[in-house]
Amino acid sequence: MANKILVVLEQHEGKVRRIALEMLSLAQKLSAGNVVALTFGSQSGETQEILARYGADQIVALKEAAFDQYSSDGFADAVKQVVNAVGSDVLFFPATAWGKDLAPRTAGLLGAGLATDCTAIEAGQDGRLVATRPIYAGKAIATVVIDSPIQMFSLRPNIQPVVETNRAGQLEDVVVTTHSEAWRAKVTAVRAQGGETLELTEAEIIVSGGRGMKGPENFKLLDALAMELGAAVGSSRPVADEGWVPHSYHIGQTGKVVSPNVYFAIGISGAIQHLAGISGSKYIVAINSDPEAPIFKAANYGIVGNLFEVVPAVTEAVRKLKAEQ
Amino acid sequence: MKILVMVKQVPDTATKVRVQPGSTSIATEGIKWVINPYDEFAIEESLRIKERLGGEVIVVSVGPQRVEEAIRQTLAMGADRGIHVKTDDVLDSQTTAEILAAVARAEGFDLIVTGKQAVDDDAAQVGPLTAVLLDVPQVTVVLKLDVNADAQRLVAERELEGTIEVVELPYPAVVTAQRGLNEPRYPTLPNIMKAKKKEVRVETLEGLGIKPALKVRIVALSEPPERPAAKILTGDPVETAQQLVDLLHNEAKVL
Ligand SMILES: Cc1cc2nc3c(=O)[nH]c(=O)nc-3n(C[C@H](O)[C@H](O)[C@H](O)COP(=O)(O)OP(=O)(O)OC[C@H]3O[C@@H](n4cnc5c(N)ncnc54)[C@H](O)[C@@H]3O)c2cc1C
Ligand SMILES: Nc1ncnc2c1ncn2[C@@H]1O[C@H](COP(=O)(O)O)[C@@H](O)[C@H]1O
């Protein structure tokens, strides 16, 4: 029997992230015609058209105003009610801060096994799905199956292809009983963190600097390159610890794990903890003055040279290329 | 405040992970075992809360014999006592959470603090699962925590992609710690001496009435594919920069 997949979506002010479309595309590939999208908040109806285009056969929009502000216990309880109402046996969540908070709480309520931060999901036998998830920050790759009746997965952003399948996207009336006054953990404010404008975990290209940058003032070289490339800026850990850049830039085993198309490691030696966080990159480019730096062993392309000369030259070459395109 | 800190012992992040051929586990010879880095923030925060409000910090760790070492380290940092749930079984997140919840139920608690994620399985699940099993609220990936003991409430700041979320909740609750929450202290010599005399109670799964039944099963484990040898460019900065951009454009087709 085909899996009935519930894709649990984060939306802000009627906008969805790319990961939402990735999850719907994958769900449609695994179980064509059996994909239900779940969205929250008074503006959730506004996403109907785009969700249908990328694979939602049905849409459950919980439009009560209470769902405008996140509550882990309140939302998990609502997901559980929707699962029971539509009879889902597979749940997808985004492996974003939001999904990582909500998915395990929901798993506990449903008594379901959850595989977090998956990079691939395939059909297995007897309705079981088979997931790939990096562990040890990518130093090893595990293949996992879930043995509970309901199978839950969260998906790492920026990996799955987005496919238009133009489904019906019919709005389903599912009634959930919410007692929002009894919700316990409540978001009371959200504010910008400052620092990067493009989110690292969703960026196609990342320009990242290490101690070789010598000081915070030199990150403007990377900002200039990032601007030409439409890239996000990241860093190694010591550079964030020194306060040269915000903590949110820190990439690696104890920072962000990223998976861009191209990762530029500039003045970064390539310590094992840093490499762990970037191993999901399609291409790694190293710019370093030390030909023996371990980063060159992990890279696809490298320039041995002084970054203060090389980076402006790369920026210029990219600018020329873009001008020709 | 009675605070339970959940601590996992993991391979040092400098470990080069090798997969045991034909098995679903890693080769453990020569591994240096350390406290999960995020759990150090959890311990530090718990100690600071205790220093402010009084109470007790109890460290709980599930794992084989070697885990006692990790518990001793937390006692040397200043935790009051430890509980070691000793088992050689392979566990998944749910089973681990069931064990921790059983211990928490028996002990009682105002606050449970865990790391946001263990850097071995990278699951980021055990905190929220423990919370839901105990039917208490949670706040995860916390950068800042205020405890209002009079109102029995927490105000926490948590990290999202590019934004900070402020969450308010009553306690008892589960909090998971993110890097940035604090700067963990080092054990001092007097505390190391004192730690030797502190109690570490050993519990077993049978004693807690838990039979592990895994829901998430690893069926295969492999090392990531090697990248092909890099094309390394040397020489004039302007020329090598141009060559690099050409390669990214024409060969890799990513620009
Ligand atoms: C528990 C633990 C967890 C850790 N987690 C992380 C993590 O998540 N992420 C992380 O990044 N690190 C982490 N680290 C730190 C890690 O071990 C390294 O210390 C760190 O990654 C090194 O940062 P770096 O490459 O910027 O600096 P360095 O190692 O000092 O490298 C600087 C590089 O710049 C090059 N350079 C210098 N001048 C120039 C120039 N003019 N032009 C070109 N190149 C130049 C040098 O050749 C050198 O290779 C962790 C460490 C521990 C103990
Ligand atoms: N075996 C364990 N013993 C004690 N605490 C654990 C154990 N496993 C996980 N934890 C706690 O749960 C957090 C998240 O772990 P995980 O869900 O495995 O990523 C860790 O940082 C620990 O605080």
Side-chain angles (χ1 to χ4, degrees), chain A residues 101 112 137 139 143 147 301-302, chain B residues 13 94 122 140 215 217 219 251:
Chain A
D101 191 63
K139 293 180 195 169
T143 309
D147 290 329
Y301 301 108
Chain B
T13 56
Q94 290 253 3
D122 285 335
T140 60
K215 293 194 167 105
R217 201 158 34 94
V219 293
E251 188 177 87

Side-chain angles (χ1 to χ4, degrees), chain A residues 46-242:
Chain A
E46 294 170 23
T47 54
Q48 182 177 359
E49 185 265 320
I50 184 160
L51 299 184
R53 178 145 35 105
Y54 291 96
D57 296 296
Q58 290 160 34
I59 296 168
V60 177
L62 300 181
K63 290 187 199 165
E64 251 181 88
F67 290 111
D68 284 340
Q69 246 155 350
Y70 177 67
S71 159
S72 45
D73 42 302
F75 277 46
D77 179 59
V79 177
K80 180 184 171 181
Q81 293 185 49
V82 172
V83 167
N84 291 337
V86 302
S88 326
D89 64 349
V90 171
L91 274 71
F92 285 179
F93 288 79
T96 56
W98 183 85
K100 284 180 176 172
D101 191 63
L102 180 58
R105 181 128 199 144
T106 311
L109 281 184
L110 292 169
L114 163 67
T116 50
D117 214 10
C118 299
T119 52
I121 300 177
E122 283 162 33
Q125 296 189 333
D126 308 321
R128 296 285 111 188
L129 298 179
V130 182
T132 304
R133 55 183 307 269
I135 56 175
Y136 298 91
K139 293 180 195 169
I141 312 289
T143 309
V144 304
V145 295
I146 295 173
D147 290 329
S148 52
I150 296 178
Q151 308 170 62
M152 292 180 54
F153 306 87
S154 69
L155 271 120
R156 183 176 292 185
N158 217 17
I159 295 191
Q160 312 300 327
V162 164
V163 187
E164 289 193 32
T165 40
N166 296 313
R167 310 298 302 176
Q170 215 156 11
L171 276 181
E172 287 296 303
D173 244 341
V174 172
V175 180
V176 302
T177 43
T178 46
H179 298 285
S180 54
E181 67 290 346
W183 292 358
R184 289 170 289 176
K186 285 189 190 171
V187 173
T188 54
V190 180
R191 59 165 203 268
Q193 199 174 14
E196 90 271 36
T197 43
L198 252 177
E199 168 51 28
L200 283 170
T201 52
E202 293 174 4
E204 299 277 345
I205 304 180
I206 292 172
V207 173
S208 194
R211 264 203 297 236
M213 295 303 297
K214 303 284 196 285
E217 65 283 2
N218 297 324
F219 270 77
K220 63 179 186 291
L221 288 178
L222 303 193
D223 292 337
L225 175 57
M227 179 100 99
E228 287 306 324
L229 290 165
V233 180
S235 77
S236 67
R237 184 172 97 170
V239 161
D241 281 351
E242 289 291 326

Side-chain angles (χ1 to χ4, degrees), chain A residues 5-24:
Chain A
I5 305 182
L6 184 71
V7 181
V8 182
L9 299 175
E10 180 181 10
Q11 62 94 19
H12 291 287
E13 294 161 354
K15 288 197 194 68
V16 292
R17 288 188 151 145
R18 183 190 141 96
I19 177 64
L21 313 182
E22 292 182 52
M23 290 193 291
L24 289 168

Side-chain angles (χ1 to χ4, degrees), chain B residues 173-215:
Chain B
V174 172
V175 174
T176 85
Q178 164 71 319
R179 190 183 174 77
L181 179 60
N182 54 45
E183 202 50 63
R185 69 193 65 186
Y186 291 101
T188 58
L189 198 58
N191 272 338
I192 295 171
M193 300 311 292
K194 269 193 245 161
K196 298 202 168 108
K197 297 200 196 73
K198 289 179 180 168
E199 180 204 15
V200 177
R201 191 172 85 227
V202 176
E203 302 259 11
T204 60
L205 298 192
E206 303 77 61
L208 293 168
I210 287 174
K211 275 207 189 71
L214 301 197
K215 293 194 167 105

Side-chain angles (χ1 to χ4, degrees), chain A residues 104 116 133, chain B residues 5-10 36-40 42 59-64 67 83 85 87 91-94 96-97 99-100 112-130 175-177:
Chain A
T116 50
R133 55 183 307 269
Chain B
V5 193
M6 308 310 191
V7 169
K8 187 177 193 185
Q9 198 188 38
V10 298
N36 180 42
Y38 296 108
D39 301 358
E40 293 191 3
V59 168
V60 186
S61 188
V62 182
V67 163
I83 299 173
V85 182
T87 172
L91 305 169
D92 64 1
S93 308
Q94 290 253 3
T96 305
I99 296 166
L100 295 176
I112 292 177
V113 192
T114 78
K116 79 149 186 180
Q117 177 167 336
V119 299
D120 52 357
D121 60 31
D122 285 335
Q125 290 202 51
V126 168
L129 280 172
T130 307
V175 174
T176 85

Side-chain angles (χ1 to χ4, degrees), chain B residues 112-243:
Chain B
I112 292 177
V113 192
T114 78
K116 79 149 186 180
Q117 177 167 336
V119 299
D120 52 357
D121 60 31
D122 285 335
Q125 290 202 51
V126 168
L129 280 172
T130 307
V132 78
L133 291 174
L134 293 165
D135 192 22
V136 299
Q138 72 191 46
V139 57
T140 60
V141 200
V142 169
L143 293 170
K144 188 163 180 280
L145 184 66
D146 282 325
V147 181
N148 181 340
D150 295 329
Q152 294 245 335
R153 289 184 71 80
L154 308 174
V155 181
E157 293 188 6
R158 61 184 301 259
E159 187 179 69
L160 268 58
E161 292 80 12
T163 53
I164 301 275
E165 203 172 63
V166 182
V167 179
E168 297 194 17
L169 62 162
Y171 64 79
V174 172
V175 174
T176 85
Q178 164 71 319
R179 190 183 174 77
L181 179 60
N182 54 45
E183 202 50 63
R185 69 193 65 186
Y186 291 101
T188 58
L189 198 58
N191 272 338
I192 295 171
M193 300 311 292
K194 269 193 245 161
K196 298 202 168 108
K197 297 200 196 73
K198 289 179 180 168
E199 180 204 15
V200 177
R201 191 172 85 227
V202 176
E203 302 259 11
T204 60
L205 298 192
E206 303 77 61
L208 293 168
I210 287 174
K211 275 207 189 71
L214 301 197
K215 293 194 167 105
V216 180
R217 201 158 34 94
I218 298 185
V219 293
L221 191 65
S222 60
E223 289 167 22
E226 298 262 341
R227 261 169 223 278
K231 284 200 178 147
I232 306 291
L233 310 168
T234 52
D236 177 65
V238 174
E239 276 168 29
T240 50
Q242 188 58 53
Q243 287 165 16

